Amino acid sequence: MKPGVAWIIGGGSGIGAAVAQRLARQGWTVAISGRREDKLAAVAKGHPTIGSYPLDVTDGAAIKAAVQQIVADMGRIDLFIFGAAAWQPMDVGDYTYDKFAKVVDTNYLGVIRIANPLIEQMARQGGGHFAVIASVAGYFGLPRSAAYSSTKAALINLLETMRSELAPRNIVVRMIAPGFVKSELTHKNDFPMPFLMETDEAAQRIVDGLTQSDRFEIAFPKRMVWLMKTVRWLPYPVFFWLTGKMLPKD
């Protein structure tokens, strides 16, 4: 993919910020969005081709306005990356509605709110790439991660559907599934994180995967990906025995 205009939701910190800066260095014009204006400004500082567009993905009207403004300023949107995420560790057996609602509203419904306005724009301009950062946590139900894992699983399912449905409009749908990456979210974790990656390394893998191929799944690190997929393929009696071992000891 040749450099063009990219829009990154969640571009104010973590993976999104690192991807934005890497794309800018490679010649892309980049719009970054998120709720924290100070964080966005810090990412854009020193990069004249990065523009800041504050946005809350739970606000549908603001999303439509942001699409229109970015297109007015930059002409088009060739590559979109949704990286906003809500996460908090949960106690075993805790399915409190309010905790789930916050995670679902950001992680899943945030993509749904953006989908139609952005797809309409990409169709008008002749195509584009629509990428969402899911997670290897979406490959199966993880103990203590019911809200987060279920939204990531829903995103993977949704993106599989969109990949087929939007191909005739020349819109290439991409699913990004990182393992554990150092960030504000993973800093909250109080459990071991195997194969923990540095943010810059994860950003490089994402940018390379997006710009050097059209493949659907960009998942890493490979050892973590294959471990998670192997667990998912196990017969249910074995699967539930193994996930039961993941529960914290009293």
Coordinates of all heavy atoms in Angstrom, one line a residue, residues 155-230:
L155 N -15.7 -8.7 17.8 CA -15.1 -7.9 16.7 C -14.5 -8.9 15.7 O -14.6 -8.6 14.5 CB -14.0 -7.1 17.3 CG -14.4 -5.8 18.0 CD1 -13.2 -5.1 18.7 CD2 -15.1 -4.8 17.1
I156 N -13.9 -9.9 16.1 CA -13.3 -10.9 15.1 C -14.4 -11.4 14.2 O -14.3 -11.5 13.0 CB -12.5 -12.0 15.8 CG1 -11.3 -11.4 16.5 CG2 -12.1 -13.1 14.8 CD1 -10.6 -12.4 17.4
N157 N -15.5 -11.8 14.8 CA -16.6 -12.4 14.1 C -17.2 -11.3 13.1 O -17.5 -11.6 11.9 CB -17.7 -12.8 15.1 CG -18.9 -13.6 14.4 OD1 -19.6 -13.0 13.6 ND2 -19.0 -14.8 14.7
L158 N -17.4 -10.1 13.6 CA -17.9 -9.0 12.8 C -17.0 -8.7 11.6 O -17.4 -8.6 10.4 CB -18.0 -7.7 13.6 CG -18.3 -6.4 12.9 CD1 -19.7 -6.5 12.3 CD2 -18.2 -5.2 13.8
L159 N -15.7 -8.7 11.8 CA -14.7 -8.3 10.8 C -14.6 -9.5 9.7 O -14.4 -9.2 8.6 CB -13.3 -8.1 11.4 CG -13.2 -6.8 12.3 CD1 -11.9 -6.8 13.1 CD2 -13.4 -5.6 11.5
E160 N -14.8 -10.7 10.2 CA -14.9 -11.8 9.2 C -16.1 -11.6 8.2 O -15.9 -11.8 7.0 CB -15.0 -13.1 9.9 CG -13.8 -13.6 10.6 CD -14.0 -14.8 11.5 OE1 -15.1 -15.1 11.8 OE2 -13.0 -15.3 12.0
T161 N -17.2 -11.2 8.8 CA -18.4 -10.9 7.9 C -18.1 -9.7 7.0 O -18.4 -9.8 5.8 CB -19.6 -10.6 8.8 OG1 -19.9 -11.7 9.6 CG2 -20.8 -10.2 8.0
M162 N -17.5 -8.6 7.6 CA -17.3 -7.4 6.8 C -16.3 -7.7 5.7 O -16.4 -7.1 4.6 CB -16.8 -6.3 7.7 CG -17.8 -5.8 8.7 SD -17.1 -4.6 9.9 CE -16.9 -3.2 8.8
R163 N -15.3 -8.5 5.9 CA -14.3 -8.8 4.9 C -15.0 -9.3 3.6 O -14.6 -8.8 2.5 CB -13.3 -9.9 5.4 CG -12.3 -10.3 4.4 CD -11.1 -9.4 4.3 NE -10.0 -10.0 3.4 CZ -8.8 -9.6 3.4 NH1 -8.4 -8.6 4.2 NH2 -7.9 -10.1 2.6
S164 N -15.9 -10.2 3.7 CA -16.6 -10.7 2.5 C -17.6 -9.7 2.0 O -17.6 -9.5 0.7 CB -17.4 -12.0 2.9 OG -16.5 -13.0 3.3
E165 N -18.3 -9.0 2.8 CA -19.4 -8.1 2.4 C -18.9 -6.9 1.7 O -19.5 -6.3 0.8 CB -20.3 -7.8 3.5 CG -21.1 -8.9 4.1 CD -22.1 -8.5 5.2 OE1 -21.9 -7.5 5.8 OE2 -23.1 -9.3 5.4
L166 N -17.7 -6.4 2.1 CA -17.2 -5.1 1.6 C -16.2 -5.2 0.5 O -15.9 -4.2 -0.1 CB -16.6 -4.3 2.8 CG -17.6 -3.9 3.9 CD1 -16.9 -3.1 5.0 CD2 -18.8 -3.1 3.3
A167 N -15.8 -6.5 0.2 CA -14.8 -6.7 -0.8 C -15.3 -6.1 -2.2 O -14.5 -5.5 -2.9 CB -14.4 -8.1 -0.9
P168 N -16.6 -6.3 -2.5 CA -17.1 -5.8 -3.8 C -17.0 -4.3 -4.0 O -17.0 -3.8 -5.1 CB -18.5 -6.3 -3.9 CG -18.6 -7.5 -3.0 CD -17.6 -7.2 -1.9
R169 N -16.9 -3.6 -2.8 CA -16.8 -2.1 -2.8 C -15.3 -1.7 -2.8 O -15.0 -0.5 -2.6 CB -17.5 -1.5 -1.7 CG -19.0 -1.8 -1.7 CD -19.7 -1.0 -0.6 NE -20.7 -1.7 0.1 CZ -21.5 -1.2 1.0 NH1 -21.3 0.0 1.4 NH2 -22.4 -2.0 1.6
N170 N -14.4 -2.6 -2.9 CA -12.9 -2.4 -2.9 C -12.5 -1.9 -1.5 O -11.6 -1.1 -1.4 CB -12.5 -1.4 -4.0 CG -11.0 -1.4 -4.3 OD1 -10.4 -2.5 -4.2 ND2 -10.5 -0.3 -4.6
I171 N -13.2 -2.3 -0.5 CA -12.8 -2.0 0.9 C -12.2 -3.3 1.5 O -12.9 -4.3 1.6 CB -14.0 -1.5 1.7 CG1 -14.5 -0.2 1.1 CG2 -13.6 -1.3 3.2 CD1 -15.8 0.3 1.7
V172 N -11.0 -3.2 1.9 CA -10.2 -4.3 2.4 C -10.3 -4.3 4.0 O -9.7 -3.4 4.6 CB -8.8 -4.3 2.0 CG1 -8.0 -5.6 2.5 CG2 -8.7 -4.2 0.5
V173 N -11.0 -5.3 4.6 CA -11.1 -5.3 6.0 C -10.0 -6.1 6.6 O -9.7 -7.2 6.1 CB -12.5 -5.9 6.4 CG1 -12.6 -6.0 7.9 CG2 -13.6 -5.0 5.8
R174 N -9.4 -5.6 7.7 CA -8.2 -6.2 8.3 C -8.5 -6.4 9.8 O -9.1 -5.5 10.5 CB -7.0 -5.3 8.2 CG -6.9 -4.5 6.9 CD -6.6 -5.4 5.7 NE -5.4 -6.0 5.8 CZ -4.2 -5.4 5.4 NH1 -4.2 -4.2 4.9 NH2 -3.1 -6.0 5.4
M175 N -8.0 -7.5 10.4 CA -8.2 -7.8 11.8 C -6.8 -7.9 12.4 O -6.0 -8.7 12.0 CB -8.9 -9.1 12.0 CG -9.3 -9.4 13.4 SD -8.0 -10.2 14.4 CE -8.0 -11.8 13.7
I176 N -6.5 -7.1 13.4 CA -5.2 -7.1 14.1 C -5.4 -7.7 15.5 O -6.2 -7.3 16.2 CB -4.6 -5.6 14.2 CG1 -4.5 -5.0 12.8 CG2 -3.3 -5.6 14.9 CD1 -4.4 -3.5 12.9
A177 N -4.6 -8.7 15.7 CA -4.7 -9.5 17.0 C -3.4 -9.5 17.7 O -2.6 -10.5 17.6 CB -5.3 -10.9 16.8
P178 N -3.0 -8.5 18.5 CA -1.8 -8.6 19.3 C -1.9 -9.5 20.5 O -3.0 -9.6 21.0 CB -1.5 -7.1 19.7 CG -2.6 -6.3 19.0 CD -3.7 -7.2 18.7
G179 N -0.8 -9.9 21.0 CA -0.7 -10.5 22.3 C -0.6 -9.4 23.3 O -1.1 -8.3 23.2
F180 N 0.2 -9.7 24.4 CA 0.4 -8.7 25.4 C 1.4 -7.7 25.0 O 2.5 -8.0 24.6 CB 0.9 -9.4 26.7 CG -0.2 -10.2 27.4 CD1 0.0 -11.6 27.4 CD2 -1.3 -9.7 28.0 CE1 -1.0 -12.4 28.1 CE2 -2.3 -10.4 28.6 CZ -2.1 -11.8 28.6
V181 N 1.0 -6.4 25.0 CA 1.9 -5.3 24.6 C 1.9 -4.3 25.7 O 0.9 -4.0 26.3 CB 1.4 -4.6 23.3 CG1 2.3 -3.5 22.9 CG2 1.3 -5.6 22.2
K182 N 3.1 -3.8 26.1 CA 3.2 -2.8 27.1 C 2.4 -1.6 26.8 O 2.6 -0.9 25.8 CB 4.7 -2.4 27.3 CG 5.6 -3.5 27.9 CD 7.0 -3.0 28.2 CE 7.8 -4.2 28.8 NZ 9.2 -3.7 29.1
S183 N 1.5 -1.2 27.7 CA 0.6 -0.1 27.5 C -0.1 0.3 28.8 O 0.1 -0.4 29.8 CB -0.5 -0.4 26.5 OG -1.4 -1.4 27.0
E184 N -0.9 1.4 28.8 CA -1.6 1.8 29.9 C -2.6 0.7 30.4 O -2.9 0.5 31.5 CB -2.4 3.0 29.7 CG -1.5 4.3 29.5 CD -2.3 5.5 29.2 OE1 -3.4 5.7 29.9 OE2 -2.0 6.3 28.3
L185 N -3.2 -0.1 29.4 CA -4.1 -1.1 29.7 C -3.4 -2.3 30.4 O -3.9 -2.8 31.4 CB -4.8 -1.6 28.4 CG -5.8 -0.6 27.7 CD1 -6.4 -1.2 26.5 CD2 -6.8 -0.1 28.7
T186 N -2.3 -2.8 29.8 CA -1.7 -4.0 30.4 C -1.0 -3.6 31.7 O -0.7 -4.5 32.5 CB -0.7 -4.6 29.4 OG1 0.3 -3.6 29.0 CG2 -1.3 -5.1 28.2
H187 N -0.7 -2.4 31.9 CA -0.1 -2.0 33.2 C -1.1 -2.3 34.4 O -0.6 -2.5 35.5 CB 0.2 -0.5 33.2 CG 0.9 0.0 34.4 ND1 2.2 -0.4 34.8 CD2 0.5 0.8 35.5 CE1 2.5 0.2 35.9 NE2 1.5 0.9 36.4
K188 N -2.4 -2.4 34.1 CA -3.4 -2.7 35.1 C -3.3 -4.2 35.5 O -3.9 -4.6 36.6 CB -4.8 -2.4 34.7 CG -5.0 -0.9 34.3 CD -6.5 -0.8 33.8 CE -6.7 0.7 33.4 NZ -8.1 0.8 32.9
N189 N -2.7 -5.0 34.7 CA -2.8 -6.5 34.9 C -2.0 -6.9 36.1 O -0.9 -6.5 36.3 CB -2.3 -7.2 33.7 CG -3.2 -7.0 32.5 OD1 -4.4 -6.6 32.6 ND2 -2.7 -7.4 31.3
D190 N -2.6 -7.8 36.9 CA -1.9 -8.3 38.1 C -1.7 -9.8 37.9 O -1.6 -10.6 38.9 CB -2.8 -8.1 39.3 CG -4.2 -8.7 39.3 OD1 -4.5 -9.3 38.2 OD2 -4.9 -8.6 40.2
F191 N -1.5 -10.3 36.7 CA -1.2 -11.7 36.4 C 0.0 -11.8 35.4 O 0.3 -10.8 34.7 CB -2.4 -12.4 35.8 CG -3.1 -11.7 34.7 CD1 -2.6 -11.8 33.4 CD2 -4.2 -10.8 34.9 CE1 -3.2 -11.2 32.3 CE2 -4.7 -10.2 33.8 CZ -4.2 -10.3 32.5
P192 N 0.6 -12.9 35.3 CA 1.7 -13.1 34.3 C 1.3 -12.8 32.9 O 0.2 -13.2 32.5 CB 2.1 -14.5 34.5 CG 1.7 -14.9 35.9 CD 0.4 -14.2 36.1
M193 N 2.1 -12.1 32.1 CA 1.8 -11.9 30.7 C 2.9 -12.5 29.8 O 3.9 -11.8 29.6 CB 1.7 -10.3 30.5 CG 0.5 -9.7 31.2 SD 0.4 -7.9 30.9 CE 1.6 -7.4 32.1
P194 N 2.7 -13.7 29.3 CA 3.7 -14.3 28.5 C 4.0 -13.6 27.2 O 3.1 -13.0 26.6 CB 3.1 -15.7 28.3 CG 1.6 -15.6 28.5 CD 1.5 -14.5 29.5
F195 N 5.2 -13.6 26.8 CA 5.6 -13.0 25.5 C 5.3 -11.5 25.4 O 5.0 -11.0 24.4 CB 5.0 -13.8 24.3 CG 5.0 -15.3 24.4 CD1 3.9 -16.0 24.5 CD2 6.3 -15.9 24.5 CE1 3.9 -17.4 24.6 CE2 6.3 -17.3 24.6 CZ 5.1 -18.1 24.6
L196 N 5.4 -10.8 26.6 CA 5.1 -9.4 26.6 C 6.0 -8.7 25.6 O 7.2 -8.8 25.7 CB 5.3 -8.9 28.0 CG 5.0 -7.4 28.2 CD1 3.5 -7.1 28.0 CD2 5.4 -7.0 29.7
M197 N 5.4 -7.8 24.8 CA 6.2 -7.1 23.7 C 6.3 -5.6 24.0 O 5.4 -5.0 24.7 CB 5.5 -7.3 22.4 CG 5.4 -8.7 21.9 SD 4.6 -8.8 20.2 CE 5.8 -7.9 19.3
E198 N 7.3 -5.0 23.5 CA 7.5 -3.6 23.6 C 6.5 -2.9 22.6 O 6.2 -3.5 21.5 CB 8.9 -3.2 23.2 CG 10.0 -3.6 24.2 CD 9.8 -3.0 25.6 OE1 9.2 -1.8 25.6 OE2 10.3 -3.5 26.6
T199 N 6.1 -1.7 22.9 CA 5.1 -1.0 22.1 C 5.6 -0.8 20.6 O 4.9 -1.0 19.7 CB 4.7 0.3 22.7 OG1 4.2 0.1 24.0 CG2 3.6 1.0 21.9
D200 N 6.9 -0.3 20.5 CA 7.4 0.0 19.2 C 7.5 -1.3 18.3 O 7.3 -1.2 17.1 CB 8.8 0.6 19.3 CG 8.7 2.1 19.8 OD1 7.6 2.7 19.7 OD2 9.7 2.6 20.3
E201 N 7.8 -2.4 18.9 CA 7.9 -3.6 18.1 C 6.5 -4.0 17.6 O 6.4 -4.4 16.4 CB 8.5 -4.8 18.9 CG 8.6 -6.1 18.1 CD 9.1 -7.2 19.0 OE1 9.4 -7.1 20.2 OE2 9.2 -8.4 18.4
A202 N 5.5 -3.9 18.4 CA 4.1 -4.2 18.0 C 3.7 -3.2 16.9 O 3.1 -3.6 15.9 CB 3.2 -4.1 19.2
A203 N 4.0 -2.0 17.0 CA 3.7 -1.0 16.0 C 4.3 -1.3 14.7 O 3.7 -1.2 13.6 CB 4.1 0.4 16.5
Q204 N 5.6 -1.7 14.7 CA 6.3 -2.1 13.5 C 5.6 -3.3 12.8 O 5.4 -3.3 11.6 CB 7.7 -2.4 13.7 CG 8.5 -2.8 12.5 CD 9.9 -3.1 12.7 OE1 10.5 -2.8 13.8 NE2 10.6 -3.7 11.8
R205 N 5.2 -4.3 13.6 CA 4.5 -5.4 13.0 C 3.2 -5.0 12.4 O 2.8 -5.6 11.3 CB 4.3 -6.5 14.0 CG 5.6 -7.1 14.6 CD 5.4 -8.4 15.3 NE 6.7 -8.9 15.9 CZ 6.9 -10.1 16.2 NH1 5.9 -11.0 16.0 NH2 8.0 -10.5 16.8
I206 N 2.5 -4.1 13.0 CA 1.2 -3.7 12.5 C 1.3 -2.9 11.2 O 0.7 -3.2 10.2 CB 0.4 -2.8 13.6 CG1 0.0 -3.7 14.7 CG2 -0.8 -2.1 12.9 CD1 -0.6 -3.0 15.9
V207 N 2.2 -2.0 11.2 CA 2.5 -1.1 10.0 C 2.9 -2.0 8.9 O 2.5 -1.9 7.7 CB 3.5 0.0 10.3 CG1 3.9 0.7 9.0 CG2 2.8 1.0 11.3
D208 N 3.9 -2.9 9.1 CA 4.4 -3.8 8.1 C 3.3 -4.7 7.5 O 3.1 -4.8 6.3 CB 5.5 -4.6 8.6 CG 6.8 -3.9 8.8 OD1 6.9 -2.7 8.4 OD2 7.7 -4.4 9.5
G209 N 2.5 -5.2 8.4 CA 1.4 -6.1 8.0 C 0.3 -5.3 7.2 O -0.2 -5.9 6.2
L210 N 0.0 -4.1 7.5 CA -1.0 -3.3 6.8 C -0.5 -2.8 5.5 O -1.2 -2.8 4.5 CB -1.4 -2.1 7.7 CG -2.3 -2.4 8.9 CD1 -2.5 -1.2 9.7 CD2 -3.6 -3.1 8.5
T211 N 0.8 -2.4 5.4 CA 1.3 -1.7 4.2 C 1.9 -2.7 3.2 O 2.1 -2.3 2.0 CB 2.3 -0.6 4.6 OG1 3.4 -1.2 5.3 CG2 1.6 0.4 5.4
Q212 N 2.4 -3.9 3.7 CA 3.1 -4.8 2.8 C 2.3 -6.0 2.4 O 2.8 -6.9 1.7 CB 4.4 -5.2 3.5 CG 5.3 -4.1 3.8 CD 6.6 -4.5 4.5 OE1 6.9 -5.7 4.6 NE2 7.3 -3.6 5.1
S213 N 1.0 -6.0 2.8 CA 0.1 -7.1 2.4 C -1.3 -6.7 2.5 O -1.6 -5.6 3.0 CB 0.4 -8.4 3.4 OG -0.3 -8.1 4.6
D214 N -2.2 -7.5 2.0 CA -3.6 -7.3 2.1 C -4.3 -8.4 3.0 O -5.5 -8.6 3.0 CB -4.3 -7.3 0.7 CG -4.1 -6.0 0.0 OD1 -3.7 -5.0 0.6 OD2 -4.3 -6.0 -1.3
R215 N -3.5 -9.2 3.7 CA -4.0 -10.3 4.5 C -5.0 -9.8 5.5 O -4.9 -8.7 6.1 CB -2.9 -11.2 5.0 CG -2.1 -10.6 6.2 CD -1.1 -11.5 6.7 NE -0.3 -11.1 7.8 CZ 0.8 -10.4 7.8 NH1 1.3 -10.0 6.6 NH2 1.4 -10.0 8.9
F216 N -5.9 -10.7 5.9 CA -7.0 -10.4 6.8 C -6.4 -10.3 8.3 O -6.6 -9.3 9.0 CB -8.1 -11.4 6.8 CG -9.1 -11.3 7.9 CD1 -10.0 -10.2 7.9 CD2 -9.2 -12.2 8.9 CE1 -11.0 -10.0 8.9 CE2 -10.2 -12.0 9.9 CZ -11.0 -11.0 9.9
E217 N -5.7 -11.3 8.7 CA -5.3 -11.4 10.1 C -3.8 -11.0 10.2 O -2.9 -11.6 9.6 CB -5.4 -12.9 10.5 CG -5.1 -13.1 12.0 CD -5.2 -14.6 12.4 OE1 -4.6 -15.4 11.7 OE2 -5.8 -14.8 13.4
I218 N -3.6 -10.0 11.1 CA -2.2 -9.6 11.5 C -2.1 -9.9 12.9 O -2.6 -9.2 13.8 CB -2.0 -8.1 11.2 CG1 -2.2 -7.8 9.7 CG2 -0.6 -7.7 11.6 CD1 -2.2 -6.4 9.4
A219 N -1.6 -11.1 13.3 CA -1.5 -11.6 14.7 C -0.1 -11.9 15.1 O 0.7 -12.4 14.3 CB -2.4 -12.8 14.8
F220 N 0.2 -11.5 16.3 CA 1.6 -11.7 16.8 C 1.5 -11.6 18.4 O 0.6 -11.1 18.9 CB 2.5 -10.6 16.2 CG 2.0 -9.2 16.5 CD1 2.3 -8.5 17.6 CD2 1.2 -8.6 15.6 CE1 1.9 -7.2 17.9 CE2 0.7 -7.3 15.8 CZ 1.1 -6.6 16.9
P221 N 2.6 -12.1 19.0 CA 3.7 -12.9 18.5 C 3.2 -14.3 18.1 O 2.3 -14.8 18.7 CB 4.7 -12.9 19.6 CG 3.9 -12.7 20.9 CD 2.8 -11.8 20.5
K222 N 3.9 -14.9 17.2 CA 3.4 -16.2 16.7 C 3.3 -17.3 17.8 O 2.3 -18.1 17.7 CB 4.4 -16.7 15.6 CG 4.3 -15.8 14.3 CD 2.9 -15.8 13.7 CE 2.9 -14.9 12.4 NZ 1.5 -14.8 11.9
R223 N 4.2 -17.3 18.7 CA 4.1 -18.3 19.8 C 2.8 -18.1 20.6 O 2.2 -19.1 20.9 CB 5.3 -18.2 20.7 CG 6.6 -18.7 20.1 CD 7.8 -18.4 21.0 NE 8.0 -17.0 21.3 CZ 8.9 -16.5 22.2 NH1 9.6 -17.4 22.9 NH2 9.0 -15.2 22.4
M224 N 2.5 -16.9 20.9 CA 1.2 -16.6 21.6 C 0.0 -17.0 20.8 O -0.9 -17.6 21.2 CB 1.2 -15.2 22.0 CG 0.0 -14.8 22.8 SD 0.2 -15.4 24.5 CE -1.2 -14.5 25.3
V225 N 0.1 -16.6 19.5 CA -1.1 -16.9 18.6 C -1.4 -18.4 18.5 O -2.5 -18.8 18.6 CB -0.8 -16.3 17.2 CG1 -1.9 -16.7 16.2 CG2 -0.7 -14.8 17.3
W226 N -0.3 -19.2 18.2 CA -0.5 -20.6 18.1 C -0.9 -21.3 19.4 O -1.7 -22.2 19.4 CB 0.7 -21.2 17.5 CG 0.8 -20.9 16.0 CD1 1.8 -20.2 15.4 CD2 -0.1 -21.4 15.0 NE1 1.5 -20.1 14.0 CE2 0.4 -20.8 13.8 CE3 -1.2 -22.2 15.0 CZ2 -0.3 -21.1 12.6 CZ3 -1.8 -22.4 13.8 CH2 -1.4 -21.9 12.6
L227 N -0.4 -20.8 20.5 CA -0.8 -21.3 21.8 C -2.3 -21.1 22.0 O -3.0 -22.0 22.4 CB 0.0 -20.6 22.9 CG -0.4 -21.0 24.3 CD1 -0.2 -22.5 24.6 CD2 0.4 -20.1 25.3
M228 N -2.8 -19.9 21.7 CA -4.2 -19.6 21.9 C -5.1 -20.3 21.0 O -6.1 -20.9 21.3 CB -4.4 -18.1 21.7 CG -3.7 -17.2 22.7 SD -4.2 -17.3 24.4 CE -5.7 -16.3 24.4
K229 N -4.7 -20.5 19.7 CA -5.5 -21.2 18.7 C -5.5 -22.7 19.0 O -6.5 -23.3 18.8 CB -4.9 -20.9 17.3 CG -5.2 -19.5 16.8 CD -4.9 -19.3 15.4 CE -5.3 -18.0 14.9 NZ -5.2 -17.8 13.4
T230 N -4.4 -23.2 19.5 CA -4.4 -24.6 19.9 C -5.3 -24.9 21.1 O -6.1 -25.9 21.0 CB -2.9 -25.0 20.3 OG1 -2.0 -24.8 19.2 CG2 -2.9 -26.5 20.8

